[in-house]
Amino acid sequence: LPPRSPPSPPPPGPSPSTSPPPVPPSPPPSPPPSSPPLPPPLPSPPPSPPPPQAAAPPSPPSPPLSPPPSSYTAAQLVQGAAIDLFLPTTSPGLLLPTTSFSSAATHGAQFGFFEAAAPGAAGAVSAALAGVSGSDAELALSGGAFSVAKGTVASARIWVRTAALYADRAQLVVGFQVRDAVGRTRALTTGLGESLAVSSSSGDGPEAASCGNPSAITGYGECSFTVPSSWFSDAATRTLDLAFEAEYSSSVVASASLSAAATLAQSPVHTALSAQGVIMTSAQSPRFPGGSVVTTAFARTGAQPLKAFKLTYTYDSAILELVSVAGAASFQTPVTNDEVAGSLGVLVSGVNDGVADADVTGDAIEMVTVTFAVKAGTAPGTYAGALSCLVDELLNSVGNAFVQAQAAQVDDARGGAQSDASLDVEEAATVALAPYVSDSGDASRLNLAPLTGVADAFSLQAVLISSNPAVASSASSDGGTAFTCALVDSGDSAALSISSACDATADESKTTGVDAAAVSVTLASNSAVAETVSVRVWFPSSARVEVDASTLGPIAGLSRSLSGACAGTADDDVLGDVGQAHRTAAARVVATLSYDGSVDGAGSTAALGLAGGVDVTSLVTLASDDTTVATIESLAPAGAKRVVPVPGTAGGSVSVSVSSAPNPAFATTASVAVGGAVLGVTSLEVVAFTGAAFDPAPASSVAFGGGALAPNVTLEQVLDAEGDVATVSAWATLSDGSVEAVPPSELHLESTSASVDVARGEGDAGVWTATVAINAIAQLGQFVQAAWRACGAESAATGAAPLVLDVPSATGLQLTSAQSRVADPAEGASQAPANLPTQTALTLRVDFDDATTVDFSNDERANFTVRAADGSAGCASVSGPLLAVLSGAASDPSCPASLTVDVEVAVFGLSASVSVELVSVASVALFISPYPAYSASSSVDATTLNKLACLDDFQRATLAATATLSDASTVVVTSRASFASDASAVADEVSGVLVPASAGSADVTATWEGVTSPAVTVTVTSTPVAPTSISLRRASDGATSFDFGAEVGSTVDMGVRVDWDDGTVWDDGSSVWISADALFAFASADEAAVSVSPAGIATLEGNAEAEVDLQASWLCDSTTVANATASVSPNLEPAFHDVDLGASTGLQFQASGGTLTVAVRANAGAQNLVNFQFEIALDASLLSATACAVSLSWASCTINDPVDRVTLVGDNTESTESGTAVDVATITFDVLAPGSAAFSGTIVEFVTVTSGGAETRTQNEAIFAGAGVAA
């Protein structure tokens, strides 16, 4: 937020330096009507000689001024401004003439003719200072956006994509295109519903198809319907009838229908199998290149259950390629072999769990589905012998073949019983096209080229509709190649030109508009495929130039440079080449438009309610026929035009014409005379405004077909904070009643208040601004004095802008410190680990009477000082909002316990202060506790250290230091403290540990940052302390029973807790200063599974059928201290390319209730497992495999073949299975008898590949991690 300053009462009148005194604002005029009446067009007088120009009289004196009012209304502050509302050239719509108005603070205009805009096109209303050119003239506005509403659907057209349907190609696809009443495809789709009713010639239906919404640009959409199989007949061909409707809220707005639109082909009749064998179904309809050929094999088994089978497919690899193989639900995943081109072997070795014999016995047992694809580029035609299937063998439940080496019967489109499949390949064709206008303007256009010289050029495009439903119907811009265009009626060429390449042009050569120019769009490859699209073209039926004054007189007291710049001093006392200035006149071009050639007929702008025509000024170029008398100026950004007399001209008459009009019929003119009576300035309205807003804003949507916008813009002035900026502009009212905008370069401003600064932007077009100054006070009045002066010291007029400075008053200061404590940089409290800051940031906030708060921390008006009265000034310094402690402050007795900073903002007459505590080190204390530390040991006093029984060593102690600061806070400083003993022969400090050497006593102290603690006496005795117990546990977490699952050779550190008879504890005796092998002896009950080193490190060696006990004993005196035991469950995890069996946690094999479940996991690492064969051997005298569930869909498992072996096989080159424990299968065994059942196995094949395709292969290796014994 900007700085604020307090208000003061407004002065009783203008300040003494003000000259001339301010002009009081006039009362605001009545608000404008919401829709002002349209005045008649401005007259254009005939050319006539200009009247003689009178000599310019002296500048009239300023009118007498009154004292300023005690208050202003919001309208009074900004009245007198002139604002132009306009549409940027990128926005749809045109300004309506004679609808602009200004009244008090409100300015308005009306816009219409959105007929040539794209449906849904977006635009925005803008505003600019009237009569002022340049980017600074445009007002910052929000909320002016609008869009052109889309028309509702009024017509529809449908086409059939799939005209020939078959029982196995039964998807009906119908394309449709919708348009609005003008023929535009960009119709309203919100709330639009589409339906397609389908019925057959045999009385089936009607049934509803599924339809999607049309494209927002092309208007094209599609409906889809799968014809039920019951609608097809094996006796005759049938047809389909279609009825399409489009509706909003159940109200139908468009419909289309087709009779006998598609044929349902007669279905073939196939011969049933009379004996055991296989039928393979194949395509019974034509296929497009890229289409699928799905074959399914069914077995007639008679009384035999089908438990396994092998088939060989032979196919023409020149036209077909294999896509997929999928087994039926009853059977295990097929194993395939397609290494030979044109051949596919399919092997299924068993049925899935839970499949009964009855499920795979019958006349049509589904076996396998093989999918092929017709290769891209395959020529259309019939391909005999494209596919066949040989039944190598069908096996029953005992492995006997009941069918061998027999050709499968093929059921294809020919019917009967075939030995191979014939395939018809069909070529896709474009069966229809849906044309549309590609340009955003759609099918309603505006040709202003006769006025502007700029043609309206666009193109026609089309959605190409293919007979292949797998190919998306797509928009094409390939006019001239894929399709061609032509006008249906050559008479329409007077309004529109169409090339064969579908490029359309409406230019200056055209002489009329057209309601609906029919354009035929024809498929280049098939002239029978053609559609028609209509285009409407609006055309100017008349145009006129209007100038708002017939005579442009000289302005009294106003001279302008003849060369473009005034010479002389800043006050222009020395004149260069100057001449008399004249008033200007607004010029505009108004046109009436039509598509039927009329001025006020049904196809004209008059029929849209625009009787006055439309304002096209911003789109055309105007010119003067005598530029020595007057020129034409175009005002950016609004595009307004004005006639500007040349300074010093002798006068004369000029003709203003539309110079951009290539068609002479539209080069309309208006005449203006320059000269005549001198015009005085009756008033100079100076307006300062800070913003503009719509009131009301334009509607968010404008309708096609006579829709209009009528927005108003209101100016406002809000100056309530330092730094607020107002734009200042001026308009002069002349004695002929006209209003002249004062160019910023000719406006001279002066501020008569110290609370307001005025300045002008760079360049001739740079506008003036008034800024609320720093330290401004609340006041109101005409503080900005203005003079209209071009060249010379003489002013044509003077005026003043009223301003209300509503700046709030400061009510208080808030000064805070980021830190509550600071320290001397040379004293210990500032050092680690206390780390107190030696400086602190200060924050100053000012409270104002409008409930706002502003940060003044870095404001130059804030004066920070360290208080001298209490001694703070000698102990700290301040630099802006930063307090820093001086070195040595802590040792200076004159420094107070708290440092005080004062701040004053003199302009507000306010001050505040804040205190920050100055902290130093007061004392250091020493604490002695047992070593090594254990839970709660920090609270145990260890000033007496005894001898360890049976060991030639003493107890040790941990040293800790704590500092107390001057504010009574404490800091643990052990890491930075130093320790000392006065009897190092008795006990000495080593790295924070007190190490005794002999019996006796020693005084120990701690020192930190020059402060030493009181001495603490430590007594070392020869009195023995003995252990009462030990416990063995895992060092990392203290567990006494745990799983040891890892790869072979992995280790775990074991720890031994020792409890002593004086209450002290060693949490881990194996890591104290005495080596573990001097204190303990370690042992394992099963060294083959887990071994333990003398240092207490356990190593995993192998699997075990039971838990393994690890033991630790106290070597010094094992007779008085019981041994300690920990239980471990060893379980090997597989290394890369190894296989694991059994549980992943706990013991490897865990039988339950006479059943043993064994999981099989493979370590593929970060690679993908693609191929494997694992042979698992077991003791068949103790175990019997009852089930095997594979976890990979592409794997298979064989049990009891033989009974002491389980075989797992898998092959999938596309597999993404990876990880250190890929779940392969779970095998279930019945326990036949008690005993130790050994498991082993062989990795026959184990193949993995990286993401880059690199292969790792293991063959004929023993399973290591999985080998073990189940008890």
Side-chain angles (χ1 to χ4, degrees):
L1 291 171
R4 311 265 189 165
S5 59
S8 66
S15 63
S17 61
T18 301
S19 179
V23 179
S26 49
S30 302
S34 59
S35 181
L38 302 178
L42 297 174
S44 298
S48 61
Q53 180 171 319
S59 176
S62 300
L65 302 176
S66 304
S70 59
S71 65
Y72 292 99
T73 66
Q76 286 175 325
L77 289 173
V78 293
Q79 71 181 7
I83 304 299
D84 285 339
L85 276 66
F86 66 96
L87 295 175
T89 56
T90 56
S91 285
L94 294 170
L95 175 68
L96 303 186
T98 69
T99 63
S100 299
F101 68 90
S102 292
S103 177
T106 302
H107 312 268
Q110 292 185 8
F111 304 94
F113 192 76
F114 297 94
E115 316 313 297
V125 178
S126 299
L129 301 174
V132 180
S133 186
S135 58
D136 288 346
E138 186 166 0
L139 305 183
L141 284 168
S142 61
F146 65 90
S147 63
V148 180
K150 295 184 176 182
T152 57
V153 170
S155 64
R157 175 84 163 87
I158 61 174
W159 303 271
V160 177
R161 292 190 62 183
T162 53
L165 302 174
Y166 303 84
D168 69 338
R169 202 180 87 177
Q171 185 186 25
L172 171 71
V173 180
V174 176
F176 66 87
Q177 188 179 43
V178 293
R179 298 179 181 272
D180 66 9
V182 188
R184 302 178 303 172
T185 56
R186 292 165 177 81
L188 179 66
T189 58
T190 302
L192 179 67
E194 307 86 11
S195 63
L196 178 70
V198 184
S199 56
S200 78
S201 57
S202 61
D204 299 310
E207 291 194 15
S210 174
C211 299
N213 270 348
S215 162
I217 296 176
T218 67
Y220 180 81
E222 290 186 347
C223 300
S224 178
F225 176 71
T226 301
V227 179
S229 59
S230 60
W231 290 24
F232 292 89
S233 168
D234 60 8
T237 297
R238 296 174 175 176
T239 60
L240 296 179
D241 297 331
L242 309 176
F244 175 85
E245 290 183 341
E247 62 179 36
Y248 297 101
S249 302
S250 301
S251 177
V252 176
V253 293
S255 62
S257 61
L258 291 174
S259 298
T263 61
L264 304 183
Q266 180 178 340
S267 300
V269 178
H270 299 108
T271 303
L273 282 177
S274 59
Q276 293 172 326
V278 171
I279 287 178
M280 181 191 74
T281 61
S282 185
Q284 299 180 25
S285 59
R287 292 293 184 267
F288 295 103
S292 297
V293 177
V294 180
T295 70
T296 302
F298 297 88
R300 176 184 174 93
T301 69
Q304 300 285 348
L306 178 61
K307 288 300 185 75
F309 58 86
K310 181 181 180 184
L311 307 175
T312 299
Y313 291 79
T314 301
Y315 59 94
D316 186 346
S317 60
I319 62 170
L320 294 175
E321 56 188 359
L322 178 65
V323 175
S324 64
V325 178
S330 296
F331 296 97
Q332 294 182 1
T333 303
V335 176
T336 62
N337 181 354
D338 60 348
E339 295 180 357
V340 178
S343 177
L344 170 67
V346 178
L347 172 65
V348 172
S349 58
V351 297
N352 288 324
D353 293 342
V355 176
D357 284 356
D359 297 331
V360 289
T361 304
D363 292 339
I365 304 302
E366 184 176 349
M367 303 165 66
V368 65
T369 296
V370 180
T371 301
F372 299 89
V374 180
K375 286 186 173 181
T378 300
T382 299
Y383 293 86
L387 176 64
S388 62
C389 176
L390 175 66
V391 183
D392 294 301
E393 57 183 4
L394 304 182
L395 303 179
N396 61 17
S397 54
V398 295
N400 292 330
F402 58 91
V403 173
Q404 283 185 303
Q406 175 181 304
Q409 175 180 313
V410 177
D411 289 352
D412 63 7
R414 295 170 292 176
Q418 308 295 332
S419 59
D420 56 26
S422 177
L423 179 63
D424 291 329
V425 177
E426 178 181 345
E427 183 179 18
T430 300
V431 295
L433 49 78
Y436 64 97
V437 177
S438 65
D439 185 84
S440 59
D442 214 299
S444 182
R445 318 295 305 183
L446 172 60
N447 180 12
L448 283 178
L451 279 167
T452 65
V454 179
D456 177 31
F458 58 99
S459 65
L460 298 180
Q461 297 183 357
V463 176
L464 303 183
I465 305 171
S466 172
S467 61
N468 184 355
V471 177
S473 298
S474 59
S476 171
S477 58
D478 200 10
T481 303
F483 51 88
T484 60
C485 296
L487 285 172
V488 174
D489 184 349
S490 61
D492 290 338
S493 62
L496 185 68
S497 296
I498 301 287
S499 72
S500 61
C502 299
D503 294 321
T505 307
D507 57 20
E508 68 271 12
S509 68
K510 304 307 174 186
T511 58
T512 186
V514 64
D515 180 17
V519 181
S520 66
V521 183
T522 305
L523 189 68
S525 60
N526 183 358
S527 61
V529 178
E531 295 293 335
T532 300
V533 60
S534 295
V535 179
R536 172 178 291 179
V537 181
W538 291 82
F539 188 82
S541 53
S542 69
R544 65 183 183 273
V545 176
E546 297 178 354
V547 181
D548 70 353
S550 59
T551 302
L552 307 182
I555 301 174
L558 189 66
S559 298
R560 291 190 174 117
S561 171
L562 302 182
S563 59
C566 297
T569 67
D571 292 328
D572 298 318
D573 293 327
V574 180
L575 300 181
D577 191 11
V578 299
Q580 176 65 48
H582 295 70
R583 65 154 289 188
T584 63
R588 68 183 180 191
V589 179
V590 177
T592 58
L593 309 174
S594 72
Y595 57 76
D596 61 2
S598 69
V599 174
D600 56 2
S604 68
T605 47
L608 299 175
L610 310 178
V614 292
D615 189 330
V616 296
T617 308
S618 63
L619 304 176
V620 302
T621 303
L622 298 181
S624 164
D625 67 343
D626 188 348
T627 56
T628 65
V629 176
T631 60
I632 306 299
E633 180 182 6
S634 181
L635 301 177
K641 308 291 194 295
R642 66 177 180 176
V643 182
V644 181
V646 175
T649 179
S653 179
V654 297
S655 178
V656 179
S657 63
V658 183
S659 60
S660 59
N663 187 332
F666 292 96
T668 179
T669 63
S671 294
V672 180
V674 177
V678 175
L679 303 175
V681 180
T682 59
S683 66
L684 183 64
E685 300 290 347
V686 187
V687 180
F689 62 93
T690 56
F694 284 107
D695 183 22
S700 60
S701 178
V702 59
F704 176 89
L709 298 175
N712 291 348
V713 169
T714 300
L715 299 181
E716 63 179 11
Q717 182 194 107
V718 179
L719 298 170
D720 60 2
E722 296 173 349
D724 282 355
V725 178
T727 298
V728 183
S729 294
W731 291 265
T733 301
L734 305 182
S735 55
D736 65 351
S738 64
V739 175
E740 192 81 9
V742 178
S745 60
E746 297 179 2
L747 183 63
H748 297 262
L749 299 185
E750 178 183 352
S751 172
T752 60
S753 170
S755 294
V756 179
D757 297 327
V758 294
R760 183 170 165 254
E762 296 181 356
D764 287 343
V767 299
W768 283 88
T769 57
T771 304
V772 180
I774 299 299
N775 299 329
I777 60 174
Q779 54 186 307
L780 75 162
Q782 294 173 321
F783 305 127
V784 176
Q785 299 294 306
W788 183 12
R789 185 172 70 250
C791 292
E794 183 182 10
S795 296
T798 60
L803 276 74
V804 174
L805 306 185
D806 191 16
V807 183
S809 296
T811 58
L813 306 183
Q814 303 173 40
L815 181 61
T816 58
S817 171
Q819 306 292 335
S820 61
R821 304 183 301 166
V822 290
D824 181 346
E827 201 270 340
S830 66
Q831 307 303 309
N835 292 323
L836 289 186
T838 61
Q839 59 185 22
T840 179
L842 305 173
T843 300
L844 175 63
R845 291 182 173 87
V846 180
D847 297 327
F848 291 89
D849 59 6
D850 62 352
T852 60
T853 299
V854 179
D855 190 334
F856 255 60
S857 304
N858 293 294
D859 193 287
E860 62 183 11
R861 291 167 289 179
N863 181 28
F864 296 90
T865 58
V866 183
R867 183 173 294 179
D870 65 353
S872 296
C875 309
S877 65
V878 67
S879 176
L882 183 68
L883 173 68
V885 181
L886 298 178
S887 181
S891 60
D892 187 343
S894 66
C895 289
S898 292
L899 303 174
T900 301
V901 177
D902 296 313
V903 66
E904 180 184 19
V905 183
V907 69
F908 297 154
L910 298 173
S911 61
S913 63
V914 67
S915 295
V916 183
E917 192 168 3
L918 178 60
V919 177
S920 60
V921 180
S923 64
V924 174
L926 172 66
F927 299 90
I928 302 177
S929 59
Y931 176 84
Y934 55 90
S935 176
S937 66
S938 61
S939 61
V940 177
D941 178 74
T943 54
T944 298
L945 302 176
N946 300 308
K947 192 165 188 178
L948 300 175
C950 164
L951 294 171
D952 189 20
D953 214 329
F954 293 92
Q955 292 176 312
R956 296 186 176 187
T958 299
L959 303 178
T962 300
T964 300
L965 305 183
S966 59
D967 64 348
S969 62
T970 59
V971 181
V972 176
V973 297
T974 304
S975 61
R976 295 299 183 96
S978 62
F979 301 93
S981 168
D982 69 346
S984 58
V986 175
D988 201 5
E989 180 266 345
V990 178
S991 300
V993 177
L994 189 62
V995 180
S998 62
S1001 62
D1003 287 341
V1004 183
T1005 58
T1007 301
W1008 176 68
E1009 290 298 327
V1011 181
T1012 301
S1013 70
V1016 177
T1017 300
V1018 177
T1019 302
V1020 181
T1021 78
S1022 296
T1023 303
V1025 290
T1028 57
S1029 65
I1030 63 173
S1031 60
L1032 181 61
R1033 52 190 184 169
R1034 186 163 53 189
S1036 61
D1037 59 4
T1040 58
S1041 179
F1042 58 90
D1043 294 343
F1044 197 174
E1047 292 187 25
V1048 65
S1050 298
T1051 61
V1052 170
D1053 290 340
M1054 303 300 294
V1056 183
R1057 174 187 168 107
V1058 181
D1059 288 88
W1060 299 89
D1061 58 10
D1062 64 349
T1064 58
V1065 176
W1066 288 354
D1067 271 337
D1068 184 3
S1070 60
S1071 61
V1072 296
W1073 66 94
I1074 305 172
S1075 64
D1077 56 0
L1079 297 174
F1080 311 106
F1082 296 96
S1084 169
D1086 186 352
E1087 291 283 345
V1090 181
S1091 61
V1092 188
S1093 73
I1097 299 174
T1099 302
L1100 182 61
E1101 308 288 355
N1103 292 313
E1105 58 186 287
E1107 290 184 342
V1108 176
D1109 285 342
L1110 305 182
Q1111 178 178 286
S1113 57
W1114 180 253
L1115 285 177
C1116 189
D1117 187 1
S1118 60
T1119 59
T1120 59
V1121 180
N1123 295 338
T1125 302
S1127 298
V1128 180
S1129 298
N1131 190 341
L1132 288 177
E1133 293 177 356
F1136 181 58
H1137 266 229
D1138 192 15
V1139 175
D1140 193 17
L1141 305 178
S1144 59
T1145 60
L1147 293 173
Q1148 181 184 18
F1149 298 114
Q1150 304 168 32
S1152 175
T1155 301
L1156 176 64
T1157 300
V1158 177
V1160 181
R1161 295 176 298 279
N1163 186 344
Q1167 301 183 18
N1168 296 327
L1169 174 62
V1170 297
N1171 180 279
F1172 64 86
Q1173 181 176 340
F1174 304 145
E1175 301 284 351
I1176 301 170
L1178 59 128
D1179 188 340
S1181 66
L1182 300 178
L1183 299 172
S1184 173
T1186 59
C1188 181
V1190 292
S1191 303
L1192 305 174
S1193 61
W1194 44 274
S1196 63
C1197 179
T1198 302
I1199 60 176
N1200 298 320
D1201 187 17
V1203 294
D1204 63 349
R1205 191 172 304 278
V1206 176
T1207 301
L1208 291 165
V1209 178
D1211 181 39
N1212 181 6
T1213 58
E1214 303 300 321
S1215 167
T1216 57
E1217 297 289 340
S1218 64
T1220 58
V1222 177
D1223 191 2
V1224 176
T1226 300
I1227 311 168
T1228 304
F1229 298 93
D1230 281 348
V1231 179
L1232 304 178
S1236 296
F1239 280 89
S1240 61
T1242 302
I1243 300 172
V1244 179
E1245 190 87 54
F1246 192 160
V1247 182
T1248 58
V1249 295
T1250 66
S1251 57
E1255 179 184 283
T1256 302
R1257 183 182 297 269
T1258 299
Q1259 292 179 313
N1260 299 319
E1261 293 286 342
I1263 292 175
F1264 180 76
V1269 177

